[in-house]
Amino acid sequence: MARIILVDDPPGAARTAAETVGPRGKHQIETSFARSVTAAASGEADFVLVRADALRAALTGGDGAREAVLRETFQAFEDGVCLVGADGQLQIANAPGERLYGGALRDELEAAAREAMSGSATADRSLSLDGQVYAVHAYALPGRGAVLYVRNATDEREREIGRLQAEKLASIGLLAAGVAHEINNPAAFVLANIEALAGHLRLIEERLREPADPAAARRGLSDLLFEANMILQESKEGMARIHRIVRDLGSFSHVDEEANAPVNVNLAIESTLGMLRNELKYRARVERDLKASRCVRASGARLGQVFLNLILNAAQALDEAQSRRNLVRVRSFDDGPDVIVEVGDNGPGIPPELLPRIFESFFTTKPRGMGTGLGLPISLGIVRALGGEILVDTRPGEGATFRVRLPADDLTAGTMPAASAAPPAAPVRGYPRRRVLAVDDEALLLKAYRRMIGDAHELTTALGGHEALRLLERDPNFDVILCDLQMPDMSGMELHAAVRLRIPPLAERFVFVTGGAFSSDARRFLEESVAAVIQKPFRLEDLMALIDRTASGRDPTAAPPAAGPADSRVS
């Protein structure tokens, strides 16, 4: 006996159907077409009897039901979904989308929709509002408009910054030992030279006190003075090496900086190789071929992190036991509208089965403690954010080459300085005598200033910002104010602000001395300020030239004058 469901739609229709079926089938009556279909699908009945016009109405209602389900689904989304017409007017949106499109982001969202419609493709944008970051994806609907998908990416961005910091800490942990070693070597011989110089001075003093044979004493003094001069020159070279290491390490800081600026890829590579010198010299020989002539627009710190990850990976892929044959190759060159940087090695290469996974987060083939599995995915993310790409070419047993392709900054074409270029040394002799105020919280540095420039200029010193401000209020007649940037109690920035308010003309005579702007406020101040800046440690020639340019009212960032005898002594 057949099991039949009779749909009572319209009401009373089931009675006629039941009389027609009669005893030939076991039947039940349902008032809902949807319930009838569900029952039949579950095996509760063999047939469903319904009037044709009722079926048509049910199917039409079914479309409306599906639309209602879609609307409920869209309303459940936490992300914004908008349908924008070709005229830019909002046609359909869920609640988050309607709120966003009707708020302060409307112009940017409408522009994203127009971009997608004009290109008949997808347009992606990143927008910010009230401390929140939104990722916008616009999809073109030819002839109808565009669909906007707006996602709150604030948490995702914070996680990305956390990943960058994690990779940074892992890299710094590896660099710390190498940098300490590189600093310790010159520091050791500088300290030894100072001890030797102290001994030479004692001998000179003894010779001067007991001139038994004046001619022999003069010869002995001449030899001692010559040796003392050599010791000083070697010590200067040692300190210059330490300066370069600190400068290179500084370029690796500030991972959260977003501002992009023209970056010389050759200098960034040289800086990275300098930091990794200790890691590389025991593993491989490094071949450089840096011919790129254009800059790229990027964050220098993040681009340096990409190069560090790639060069470090190349070095760690090599067997330390074969350091004589090991080779790391680094190239840069122009290629059409792009700048290419290649980092390769002659190691074992990447197995084909692992190649698809090398850019996965936390995937690493290195031994425990040597890798986090974040270096390559983070590097890829940085490069793609700059509009570039990283490609890999590898053959088992022949090594691997990572090729970074970045868009060149056309505004800097042909203007990039050579990687080996050094700032010209300014002659010391011939500068006019100036009134200089030196401000620092380190008494020993103030003494060093007196020894360095006290003979050439009329020098006054102030221990800290408060003392300097009191002194300037009593006597503002200074040509140059040589001021430390970051000091306790009153920083150089605060002193500059107070002077600009109370004695405005003196605000243009500041020369800021800094060992690194470690706070975001200090970095922002240096970026926005027109005041001159010199980095610690500095050369006497550079300081003298900067004092002269500032006192003369010339652009302190301009190149120093090329005239004058090349004498390194202060006259």
Side-chain angles (χ1 to χ4, degrees), residues 149-222:
Y149 177 63
V150 187
R151 177 171 52 85
N152 190 321
T154 306
D155 292 342
E156 181 180 323
R157 180 178 181 276
E158 291 176 352
R159 286 194 298 271
E160 178 65 16
I161 291 176
R163 292 174 67 220
L164 287 169
Q165 293 287 18
E167 174 63 20
K168 177 76 70 173
L169 289 173
S171 299
I172 287 175
L174 178 65
L175 287 173
V179 170
H181 181 271
E182 291 301 301
I183 289 178
N184 278 338
N185 278 343
F189 73 68
V190 168
L191 185 59
N193 282 352
I194 291 173
E195 294 286 348
L197 186 59
H200 278 59
L201 291 176
R202 286 193 297 271
L203 288 175
I204 290 173
E205 185 180 12
E206 291 173 4
R207 296 286 176 88
L208 290 174
R209 285 179 179 177
E210 300 176 3
D213 184 347
R218 281 195 298 272
R219 288 194 299 273
L221 285 174
S222 178

Side-chain angles (χ1 to χ4, degrees), residues 347-397:
I350 303 172
E353 65 273 15
L354 299 183
L355 193 57
R357 300 192 60 194
I358 60 174
F359 290 107
E360 292 180 12
S361 294
F362 305 109
F363 176 78
T364 179
T365 59
K366 298 177 184 177
R368 182 179 296 274
M370 282 192 67
T372 62
L374 290 173
L376 284 179
I378 286 177
S379 297
L380 181 63
I382 292 172
V383 170
R384 284 182 172 172
L386 298 174
E389 190 58 77
I390 300 181
L391 304 175
V392 188
D393 182 18
T394 181
R395 296 180 182 177

Side-chain angles (χ1 to χ4, degrees), residues 15 27 57 229 238 253 282 294 297 303 305 352 358 383 423 425 461 468 477 513 530 546 564:
R15 187 181 306 110
H27 58 267
N229 185 59
S253 64
Y282 299 113
R294 290 179 292 176
R297 186 161 290 274
L303 194 59
Q305 186 173 359
I358 60 174
V383 170
T461 60
N477 297 315
V513 183
V530 296
L546 192 52

Side-chain angles (χ1 to χ4, degrees), residues 496 507-512 525-526 528-533 550 556-557:
H496 183 265
E508 300 177 359
R509 302 182 187 178
F510 271 71
V511 172
F512 286 104
F525 174 80
L526 291 182
E528 298 174 355
S529 175
V530 296
V533 179
T550 303
T557 63

Side-chain angles (χ1 to χ4, degrees), residues 65 141 200 206 224 235 420 455 469 563:
L141 299 177
H200 278 59
E206 291 173 4
L224 287 171
S235 299
S420 59
D455 292 337
L469 187 58

Side-chain angles (χ1 to χ4, degrees), residues 86-262:
D87 58 356
Q89 296 300 310
L90 183 64
Q91 295 183 352
I92 302 173
N94 65 352
E98 189 171 356
R99 185 180 68 253
L100 290 167
Y101 202 84
L105 292 178
R106 172 168 184 144
D107 290 343
E108 288 86 350
L109 293 174
E110 190 174 336
R114 283 199 305 269
E115 181 182 344
M117 287 186 282
S118 64
S120 298
T122 302
D124 297 329
R125 295 195 177 192
S126 179
L127 305 178
S128 298
L129 178 67
D130 298 332
Q132 302 293 299
V133 178
Y134 295 92
V136 180
H137 306 281
Y139 305 91
L141 299 177
R144 296 178 57 191
V147 174
L148 293 176
Y149 177 63
V150 187
R151 177 171 52 85
N152 190 321
T154 306
D155 292 342
E156 181 180 323
R157 180 178 181 276
E158 291 176 352
R159 286 194 298 271
E160 178 65 16
I161 291 176
R163 292 174 67 220
L164 287 169
Q165 293 287 18
E167 174 63 20
K168 177 76 70 173
L169 289 173
S171 299
I172 287 175
L174 178 65
L175 287 173
V179 170
H181 181 271
E182 291 301 301
I183 289 178
N184 278 338
N185 278 343
F189 73 68
V190 168
L191 185 59
N193 282 352
I194 291 173
E195 294 286 348
L197 186 59
H200 278 59
L201 291 176
R202 286 193 297 271
L203 288 175
I204 290 173
E205 185 180 12
E206 291 173 4
R207 296 286 176 88
L208 290 174
R209 285 179 179 177
E210 300 176 3
D213 184 347
R218 281 195 298 272
R219 288 194 299 273
L221 285 174
S222 178
D223 292 342
L224 287 171
L225 289 172
F226 176 79
E227 183 66 24
N229 185 59
M230 294 299 296
I231 290 172
L232 288 173
Q233 290 297 324
E234 291 173 5
S235 299
K236 284 180 64 178
E237 292 174 9
M239 292 308 300
R241 279 178 56 183
I242 293 174
H243 181 205
R244 286 193 297 270
I245 293 167
V246 172
R247 179 199 62 199
D248 292 341
L249 195 59
S251 68
F252 189 59
S253 64
H254 317 318
V255 68
D256 56 343
E257 286 183 347
E258 293 292 337
N260 290 341

